[in-house]
Amino acid sequence: MPPKKQTNALAQRKSAKEQLVQQQRKRRLIWFSTVGVLLVLIIVVLSLDPKPVVKAASFDYENLPMLGQSDAPVKIVEFGDFKCPSCKIANDTIKPQLVSDYIDQGKVAFYFMNLPFLGADSTTAALAVQSVYHQNKDAFWTYFDAIYDNQGDEQTEWATADLLVGLAEEIGLEVDYDLLRSDIENKTYLNEVNEQYGKANDLKITGTPTFYIDGVQYTGSFADYSEFKQAVEDALKN
């Protein structure tokens, strides 16, 4: 090949090589730019830390014992066992302050569901309160508090029919005591107790007391009223 033609061929190859190098640089630049934009977007999304959407549990509020007014903007449901020492602590520390701060103000309605899992007499106590609820709804919470005030040792079977009927008589509860005994011994409201227990199982509740505030499980301390109060305040804002 003549020298001039060789020179032209070399120049063409050099030009083609330079074009290829430039194209590769452009592709790398585009790739790095794309990755950079994606990383920035990921960082922004993570920094927002969106809270997961929690589906609120539903409850048959109309058929549960209620403390307060049914039209209260916030509804709290407690799952409890009358043999549970922690339930007694919550009843002594949380509920009285809820009554004065929110329930008496018409801001909160408080409901109760039985979760009798500690012993056979847990169910006996649940049957007793269901009987009182159906006889005289206004007497329910007086009886509720009286059982916790007279709570026996968790390891002993203390919630007997004799004790529960005797307690109702002692505090002058306005119910038929013979009917109360009959309802306990004949397990009149066992289906209701089992339904409430089943609801707890559906919600995967593992212990008592467990509270739901407007259908969302409260996961804070039940012995710290300030923490519980903040959860109620947050619910009132929604």
Side-chain angles (χ1 to χ4, degrees):
M1 179 181 294
K4 187 175 182 179
K5 290 185 177 180
Q6 287 181 344
T7 300
N8 290 337
L10 289 171
Q12 289 175 354
R13 284 198 295 270
K14 183 178 180 180
S15 176
K17 185 176 180 180
E18 289 177 349
Q19 289 178 358
L20 179 61
V21 170
Q22 289 179 355
Q23 289 174 354
Q24 289 175 340
R25 287 176 178 171
K26 286 181 179 179
R27 284 196 291 267
R28 284 198 296 269
L29 181 61
I30 292 171
W31 186 86
F32 283 119
S33 298
T34 302
V35 171
V37 171
L38 289 174
L39 288 174
V40 170
L41 288 174
I42 291 171
I43 292 170
V44 170
V45 170
L46 291 176
S47 66
L48 293 176
D49 190 22
K51 295 181 180 180
V53 177
V54 178
K55 183 178 180 181
S58 61
F59 296 98
D60 184 12
Y61 293 110
E62 291 184 1
N63 292 307
L64 295 177
M66 180 191 69
L67 188 61
Q69 301 174 15
S70 60
D71 61 351
V74 171
K75 300 181 185 300
I76 298 176
V77 176
E78 176 193 358
F79 284 88
D81 183 325
F82 288 98
K83 291 193 67 173
C84 168
S86 295
C87 293
K88 174 175 171 53
I89 291 173
N91 197 59
D92 291 344
T93 59
I94 296 294
K95 187 160 70 62
Q97 295 186 83
L98 281 178
V99 169
S100 60
D101 291 347
Y102 298 104
I103 296 173
D104 284 349
Q105 308 301 322
K107 297 179 180 179
V108 166
F110 189 86
Y111 302 82
F112 179 76
M113 295 184 73
N114 290 287
L115 179 48
F117 73 100
L118 288 173
D121 54 332
S122 296
T123 299
T124 305
L127 292 168
V129 296
Q130 289 305 111
S131 174
V132 169
Y133 171 68
H134 285 284
Q135 287 196 53
N136 182 355
K137 291 179 174 58
D138 292 336
F140 177 87
W141 294 103
T142 300
Y143 193 48
F144 180 96
D145 291 338
I147 295 176
Y148 277 126
D149 289 343
N150 289 271
Q151 186 184 70
D153 186 270
E154 181 184 355
Q155 304 302 322
T156 63
E157 189 170 331
W158 57 267
T160 63
D162 286 342
L163 181 143
L164 293 163
V165 174
L167 181 60
E169 293 174 334
E170 180 182 330
I171 62 176
L173 207 65
E174 295 184 359
V175 296
D176 183 322
Y177 305 128
D178 291 334
L179 179 57
L180 173 59
R181 180 179 293 276
S182 174
D183 285 342
I184 295 171
E185 294 176 346
N186 295 320
K187 301 181 179 180
T188 304
Y189 297 105
L190 183 60
N191 285 342
E192 289 184 3
V193 173
N194 287 340
E195 285 176 6
Q196 294 177 13
Y197 196 108
K199 180 68 173 181
N201 281 338
D202 291 342
L203 293 171
K204 297 180 173 55
I205 294 173
T206 58
T208 56
T210 294
F211 297 92
Y212 277 77
I213 302 176
D214 279 350
V216 178
Q217 185 174 351
Y218 170 72
T219 56
S221 171
F222 60 82
D224 182 355
Y225 178 66
S226 62
E227 188 173 348
F228 198 97
K229 182 177 182 178
Q230 185 58 56
V232 175
E233 288 291 336
D234 291 342
L236 285 167
K237 294 175 185 176
N238 295 333

